Amino acid sequence: MASRAWCETTHLFEIEGGATASSLGALPLFELGSEFFAWIELPRVLLSDVLGDFSSLTVRGVGFEWQLEGGQLHVLGMPAVVMWSETTVAGMMQGMHRMVGTERFVLWMQAGGLESVDGDWKVISQAESFEAGFAELANYALTCGWGAWTLVSIDRETKRAVFRTQNNWECIYQQALGVRWGSGLTAGKFAGYCSRVFGTNCWATQTCYQAGEDAYDEFVVEPSSESPEERLDALLKADKRTRADLAAALERLEQENVERQRAEREARQRLETIEAMSAPTLQVWRGVLALPVFGSVSGSRADRIMDQLLADIQRTGSRFAILDLTGADVVDTNSADHLLRVVKGVGLLGATCVICGIQPAVAQTMVALEADLGGAVTKATLEDALGYCIAHS
């Protein structure tokens, strides 16, 4: 409205606060249906000079309000958006159609319409009858780009209704694309209204197409034994799968891969934490070192334990090294072999390796594996191991 467009004849209609808004000749800026106001002749002036600045207006009882600082448009007090039907909307819908194909596209659009009628029904339910409420809702549709809506007939006994629309945004974008997919979202809304009027699940069948050769879109709404979900299942069972199925499967695989990678990272972090906890060598008595071991004893971990323990034995001149396995899981041949390497390494430095804290289950496994700990001394607890070392110092 603030554009610097020129006009010579101006179509006036009321704006809140007493201002006026205009349209260019026979091409109004705001579609007002068949109602026309006074026409006046103006000299060649800037449109913005005629309008001035305003932030709200009312068209056929429908309030439009622009919150310019926040960049929002509200229609009837609810957030709204304005998009070019022949470009922006057409591009968006064409992208969706390419992903899912015509049958599923129409099905999803109608299902979306069925799920979007709560706000519409508030308008309808305030009227004395469905017909009157629909007429009020059709007025809102007319001012907001949904075209001219008409309730052709409704039969509550046979539960059948016929609706027509002209210049609906769905047919406009399809005309721009040169296709005839049908006005699925509008059809879903009509089916949603009738589901509440008739008290049963309904479905809309489009019988005329303005995007084709017809002068309007026409929809016949009747009861249906199938829900949108059941119709979708029927498509899948008929093997009418689309790229959307492949995309969905790929997305699930990618999500599973992400979850698996996350679990692996967490497992590695836990392992690193455990290994870090078991790393310190403690001098618990003169000439006695102790090293607590947690978790499993892998080959690389056994190498780190042995490197550190042997270096500390040599540095301190200790005669005893206590390996506390209270928190260790030595449950297979490889783990026992790794432990034996540590014991032999300690012995080669002339020190005695004292093992304590072996759990019963671990002891049974080591016996079954016939694991030979060589010259290592075994004790039940760390206290017993320390007592042994002190007594033989």
Side-chain angles (χ1 to χ4, degrees):
M1 298 298 293
S3 63
R4 297 177 63 82
W6 293 93
C7 66
E8 294 190 0
T9 57
T10 305
H11 179 192
L12 301 180
F13 55 92
E14 183 179 359
I15 300 174
E16 292 182 359
T20 59
S22 62
S23 58
L24 302 179
L27 183 60
L29 294 178
F30 295 90
E31 177 61 54
L32 297 181
S34 60
E35 292 192 12
F36 292 89
F37 294 80
W39 289 83
I40 63 173
E41 296 293 330
L42 291 178
R44 189 174 177 84
V45 296
L46 285 173
L47 186 60
S48 58
D49 294 337
V50 176
L51 298 178
D53 294 326
F54 65 92
S55 59
S56 63
L57 58 82
T58 300
V59 181
R60 295 177 65 99
V62 179
F64 295 77
E65 180 181 1
W66 287 265
Q67 297 179 358
L68 301 180
E69 292 184 358
Q72 290 189 346
L73 165 64
H74 285 77
V75 179
L76 294 171
M78 295 179 289
V81 64
V82 176
M83 293 188 290
W84 302 113
S85 299
E86 295 180 339
T87 54
T88 305
V89 175
M92 178 174 62
M93 295 301 173
Q94 187 175 43
M96 293 173 58
H97 180 273
R98 285 173 178 169
M99 286 292 297
V100 302
T102 300
E103 285 186 282
R104 189 169 304 183
F105 176 79
V106 174
L107 175 59
W108 281 354
M109 291 296 286
Q110 184 159 170
L114 277 163
E115 295 173 356
S116 68
V117 299
D118 287 347
D120 301 356
W121 191 254
K122 291 179 181 178
V123 175
I124 295 174
S125 61
Q126 291 175 0
E128 60 183 11
S129 65
F130 171 74
E131 289 82 350
F134 180 81
E136 180 66 19
L137 187 64
N139 178 64
Y140 294 163
L142 183 64
T143 60
C144 296
W146 286 79
W149 288 8
T150 304
L151 174 60
V152 179
S153 64
I154 182 168
D155 189 328
R156 288 171 172 78
E157 291 186 3
T158 61
K159 297 182 179 180
R160 185 178 188 272
V162 179
F163 299 85
R164 287 178 183 170
T165 66
Q166 283 184 297
N167 300 321
N168 181 290
W169 63 271
E170 292 186 88
C171 78
I172 290 174
Y173 87 74
Q174 290 175 35
Q175 286 174 332
L177 293 174
V179 299
R180 199 197 74 171
W181 298 330
S183 301
L185 195 67
T186 306
K189 283 183 173 290
F190 293 158
Y193 306 153
C194 290
S195 294
R196 302 199 181 197
V197 173
F198 299 150
T200 186
N201 181 50
C202 292
W203 192 256
T205 301
Q206 188 164 349
T207 56
C208 295
Y209 297 82
Q210 190 176 350
E213 301 294 330
D214 301 310
Y216 47 76
D217 285 344
E218 184 174 87
F219 309 89
V220 177
V221 181
E222 296 175 303
S224 173
S225 60
E226 291 182 307
S227 66
E229 293 76 14
E230 291 171 333
R231 290 174 182 267
L232 180 58
D233 289 341
L235 279 178
L236 294 176
K237 291 177 181 178
D239 202 31
K240 295 181 179 179
R241 294 175 174 84
T242 67
R243 280 176 284 182
D245 298 308
L246 298 178
L250 179 60
E251 184 178 356
R252 285 195 298 270
L253 288 175
E254 290 177 345
Q255 184 63 32
E256 291 174 359
N257 186 46
V258 169
E259 290 297 322
R260 184 164 51 250
Q261 291 177 349
R262 181 187 59 79
E264 290 175 354
R265 285 196 302 270
E266 292 179 352
R268 285 196 300 269
Q269 291 171 353
R270 287 194 295 269
L271 179 59
E272 290 171 358
T273 300
I274 291 174
E275 291 182 352
M277 291 173 62
S278 65
T281 302
L282 307 175
Q283 185 159 4
V284 293
W285 194 261
R286 186 174 60 254
V288 181
L289 297 179
L291 193 149
V293 178
F294 297 92
S296 61
V297 183
S298 63
S300 59
R301 190 176 179 205
D303 289 339
R304 287 196 299 273
I305 292 174
M306 185 162 58
D307 290 344
Q308 178 175 333
L309 185 57
L310 298 184
D312 288 339
I313 290 174
Q314 189 175 36
R315 178 178 56 81
T316 61
S318 298
R319 295 179 54 198
F320 296 94
I322 301 174
L323 286 181
D324 185 3
L325 304 183
T326 303
D329 299 323
V330 186
V331 294
D332 57 25
T333 304
N334 289 334
S335 298
D337 288 343
H338 298 325
L339 186 59
L340 181 58
R341 288 168 49 203
V342 175
V343 172
K344 290 182 177 179
V346 172
L348 290 175
L349 290 183
T352 300
C353 185
V354 181
I355 300 176
C356 68
I358 296 178
Q359 301 300 311
V362 175
Q364 290 177 4
T365 302
M366 294 181 70
V367 170
L369 295 174
E370 298 181 353
D372 183 8
L373 295 180
V377 177
T378 58
K379 295 294 180 182
T381 65
L382 178 60
E383 181 180 1
D384 295 338
L386 181 58
Y388 173 86
C389 295
I390 294 174
H392 291 78
S393 296

